Amino acid sequence: MKVMIRREMVLLYRVEGEKEKQVRELLERNRIAVKVLTEDMLGHTLGWCISEAGYGESGVPYEGKAMEREALILSGISGKRLDQLLRDLKALPAGNIELKAVVTPHNKSWKVGDLFAELEKEHHLMGKVTQLRVWVRNWEPKLAAYQGEDAQPLVEALRQAKELLKKGQDITPEACDRVLEQIREAEKAWNKKSEG
């Protein structure tokens, strides 16, 4: 019976200077291989980047826009070891790398540039979701104590925000934008009445 040994590797993109040095030292201490991704590698598959058998060089340049942000892709690291590594990366004095991904059987055939585009979309969406959560946390107690009719637009915005947040992974950027716009309009109306 053939035993497959999983090679642990981290792919770095646009991680430079002191941060790159600290990340490399951390990975070296953990005996994890490091590979730097460059813009000319964005058209290659993740499988090729981690040197997995069956994934050849694509030879096709990436047609999309190169991502400007730094990113880190983890391969072959799982369980408690992955959890600890993520904690250690977050605690580095040079700062955390916001965009991270894990190579999976599902995304191995993806082009690196396509993965980065997906990461950016998710990061953008998470920013909107965070805005909604903060708004709900700040306004829910205020609105619970206030019963005036002039609060109705805010009450409705709060209901919409809470309903959207319940959807979890089914939240879309467009839905967030609609509710955030409703919130802005309701707050504008509230502030006008408060000033008057």
Side-chain angles (χ1 to χ4, degrees):
M1 180 195 244
K2 206 177 201 180
V3 176
M4 184 190 286
I5 298 174
R6 190 177 232 188
R7 181 172 181 222
E8 295 180 328
M9 181 183 286
V10 169
L11 307 172
L12 299 177
Y13 180 75
R14 294 193 186 269
V15 179
E16 299 168 344
E18 185 59 28
K19 189 178 288 187
E20 179 183 12
K21 180 182 174 204
Q22 290 177 15
V23 169
R24 283 183 177 275
E25 287 171 357
L26 172 64
L27 297 172
E28 189 176 293
R29 280 194 308 271
N30 285 280
R31 294 187 172 95
I32 298 172
V34 178
K35 185 175 190 175
V36 174
L37 297 174
T38 59
E39 279 188 30
D40 62 330
M41 298 167 89
L42 296 179
H44 295 297
T45 64
L46 288 170
W48 179 84
C49 291
I50 62 171
S51 305
E52 181 145 323
Y55 293 91
E57 188 171 349
S58 78
V60 179
Y62 184 63
E63 302 264 332
K65 185 178 179 230
M67 185 174 74
E68 297 297 321
R69 297 155 59 102
E70 58 188 18
L72 179 141
I73 304 171
L74 302 115
S75 176
I77 309 165
S78 59
K80 290 179 182 176
R81 185 160 165 83
L82 175 63
D83 295 340
Q84 184 60 53
L85 181 60
L86 290 172
R87 280 192 296 274
D88 292 345
L89 284 164
K90 192 173 187 174
L92 288 175
N96 189 28
I97 299 168
E98 284 185 66
L99 298 181
K100 296 180 192 73
V102 175
V103 177
T104 66
H106 171 73
N107 68 16
K108 263 188 229 182
S109 60
W110 290 18
K111 289 182 179 180
V112 174
D114 293 340
L115 174 71
F116 288 163
E118 189 64 27
L119 284 176
E120 288 227 284
K121 276 183 10 191
E122 287 177 11
H123 185 73
H124 185 68
L125 175 60
M126 289 313 299
K128 291 174 187 266
V129 169
T130 299
Q131 283 179 337
L132 285 172
R133 285 190 177 126
V134 168
W135 189 84
V136 167
R137 185 176 51 232
N138 290 339
W139 275 97
E140 193 167 31
K142 293 176 192 176
L143 292 174
Y146 189 81
Q147 300 297 322
E149 192 173 301
D150 53 338
Q152 275 313 110
L154 282 169
V155 169
E156 179 57 22
L158 177 65
R159 187 188 69 71
Q160 292 286 334
K162 288 170 70 174
E163 189 175 300
L164 183 59
L165 290 171
K166 283 181 187 175
K167 290 185 175 184
Q169 291 184 352
D170 294 331
I171 296 175
T172 66
E174 297 79 21
C176 283
D177 287 340
R178 279 192 303 274
V179 173
L180 287 167
E181 182 58 31
Q182 183 179 359
I183 287 168
R184 282 189 281 278
E185 292 300 317
E187 284 184 323
K188 220 185 285 183
W190 173 270
N191 290 333
K192 278 184 183 176
K193 287 181 183 177
S194 298
E195 291 169 4

